[in-house]
Amino acid sequence: MRRVLLWLPLVLFAGLFGLVALGLFKPADRTVRSAMVDKPLPDFVLPAMLPTKPGVARTSFGGGKPRLINVFASWCVPCIAEAPELMKLKAAGVPIDGVAINDTPEAVQKFLDRNGDPYQRIGNDKTSQVQIALGSSGVPETFLIDGRGRIVRQYVSNLQSDQVDDILKAWRGME
Amino acid sequence: MKFSKRHAGLVPASNERQASCVEPKGLRLRRVGPRHRAGVTAVLGLMLAAITPALAQQAPLADTQLSDPAQEAQAKALMETIRCVECQGQAIADSNADIAGNMRSLIRERIKAGESPEQVRAWLIQRYGDYISYDPPLGGATWPLWAAPFVLLVIGIAIARSSFRRKR
């Protein structure tokens, strides 16, 4: 018994060492996910960002048709990388509404001229109030809203092409 | 093009994170600023240039105290226990990230409108999960945190008793 106990501290140390090493080589996923997924979209009204497009409000969702909300900003680099993916979704007929964070109409217009315009509506969320209400932690993020106005999925960071396929499949299934 | 998973607060045109997590922009300029006069003026000018747009972008109550001191104290105490979702080790009271400022503003607005701090905390937890709060609730996953000190104490007493017992 004593003999075995003698080795216990070393075993404990090796275990702790292994745990720390694992944390070093496989860092934890620090992505902040929204707790609003599978919950109804909260009530909100955002004024229009551009004179050419209407703003975004809770009442635009849940009319029996699924829609996407894309939280973006003209100053966000991954949003540029995401633009072609959103254009693909637009081409496939998916309606997308934009929520522009901390932005100006001129900058948004320039951004759309350069990277394409996938949005049917763009709401001006100057102070992130709707972003926070959605449980979003940064830009870009995309939310899929079903025909009953529930948040079905959240995609953090710029959309990848496999995620676009995923959205298309889910959207076609809901329509 | 594929960007890293971390998306919050990237510096435009680079993959670096925003300096906002570190310290106020003005402060850094002040520390490295030269001592002679022209330098001071230049640094002051730079500071103003750096600060003005930042102020223009902030939510109204991000850095403005409420006029009622009791409400402000409540809001401040709550801010110290809400995690910043961008600079994840910091409370929003300490963080310079835009979204932290916007959350401070939101908290002040809600407290001003008469909500209790715990109502606001519950609202935020509903959006981001328990993760957002530095005051973890007692629940299925967290009860060992509360139980561990007592369990360790009992083990300690048992060890002490066995070591102090007279050898026969």
Side-chain angles (χ1 to χ4, degrees):
Chain A
M1 188 62 194
R2 273 253 129 112
R3 276 246 158 123
V4 180
L5 274 180
L6 202 64
W7 291 95
L8 189 68
L10 186 68
V11 171
L12 282 177
F13 172 75
L16 194 65
F17 189 85
L19 191 73
V20 172
L22 193 75
L24 264 181
F25 293 110
K26 262 182 91 175
D29 181 11
R30 298 277 179 227
T31 312
V32 183
R33 295 199 188 280
S34 172
M36 293 297 284
V37 177
D38 284 333
K39 294 205 181 114
L41 194 62
D43 213 8
F44 69 91
V45 178
L46 282 179
M49 180 51 121
L50 301 174
T52 49
K53 279 178 202 289
V56 185
R58 170 67 180 84
T59 47
S60 337
F61 299 88
K65 296 259 177 196
R67 300 182 75 85
L68 285 182
I69 296 182
N70 181 242
V71 182
F72 79 108
S74 67
W75 43 265
C76 136
V77 181
C79 295
I80 301 172
E82 183 182 64
E85 306 299 336
L86 288 176
M87 292 307 279
K88 269 192 236 165
L89 285 167
K90 184 197 180 188
V94 182
I96 307 170
D97 292 331
V99 170
I101 307 298
N102 197 1
D103 229 321
T104 61
E106 300 78 40
V108 168
Q109 190 57 59
K110 243 186 237 168
F111 177 86
L112 297 179
D113 291 345
R114 237 167 99 183
N115 304 300
D117 178 3
Y119 305 112
Q120 291 194 352
R121 309 188 177 102
I122 301 180
N124 183 355
D125 192 13
K126 184 101 196 132
T127 56
S128 300
Q129 304 304 297
V130 170
Q131 186 185 26
I132 295 170
L134 287 171
S136 154
S137 62
V139 279
E141 282 190 13
T142 307
F143 294 86
L144 177 59
I145 317 294
D146 73 5
R148 290 178 300 148
R150 290 176 80 82
I151 302 172
V152 189
R153 269 170 224 209
Q154 179 201 24
Y155 299 89
V156 178
S157 192
N158 52 311
L159 286 174
Q160 309 291 328
S161 44
D162 57 321
Q163 292 174 321
V164 169
D165 298 340
D166 189 47
I167 292 176
L168 276 175
K169 224 162 101 192
W171 183 74
R172 286 193 183 120
M174 280 189 285
E175 241 208 341
Chain B
M1 234 196 307
K2 190 165 174 151
F3 282 90
S4 66
K5 273 284 171 211
R6 278 235 48 81
H7 68 300
L10 287 167
V11 172
S14 83
N15 268 337
E16 274 172 51
R17 298 197 65 195
Q18 240 160 15
S20 61
C21 293
V22 190
E23 56 183 11
K25 286 155 198 156
L27 213 71
R28 195 155 0 130
L29 281 172
R30 203 182 301 154
R31 220 172 273 160
V32 295
R35 293 235 173 90
H36 55 89
R37 246 205 203 149
V40 169
T41 322
V43 167
L44 272 177
L46 270 175
M47 273 173 65
L48 279 177
I51 286 168
T52 318
L55 280 180
Q57 287 165 0
Q58 283 285 342
L61 293 177
D63 296 313
T64 308
Q65 298 191 336
L66 292 175
S67 49
D68 179 352
Q71 283 187 333
E72 173 62 24
Q74 281 186 334
K76 186 82 199 339
L78 178 60
M79 285 172 208
E80 277 160 9
T81 60
I82 296 295
R83 187 196 294 269
C84 170
V85 287
E86 187 177 325
C87 310
Q88 291 173 18
Q90 281 183 310
I92 57 169
D94 309 317
S95 175
N96 236 24
D98 284 343
I99 194 157
N102 293 338
M103 271 193 201
R104 289 197 298 272
S105 186
L106 182 138
I107 285 176
R108 285 200 173 102
E109 274 161 37
R110 283 176 171 258
I111 299 261
K112 197 178 171 187
E115 278 186 48
S116 77
E118 286 320 300
Q119 279 175 313
V120 182
R121 186 195 302 282
W123 188 88
L124 283 167
I125 287 177
Q126 204 190 352
R127 313 287 138 165
Y128 294 97
D130 287 338
Y131 175 84
I132 194 83
S133 174
Y134 277 128
D135 185 12
L138 185 55
T142 53
W143 68 264
L145 285 175
W146 272 266
F150 298 106
V151 173
L152 290 175
L153 195 68
V154 169
I155 293 173
I157 290 171
I159 291 175
R161 266 193 61 172
S162 68
S163 353
F164 284 126
R165 198 179 290 155
R166 246 179 235 159
K167 278 178 193 146
R168 286 177 193 155

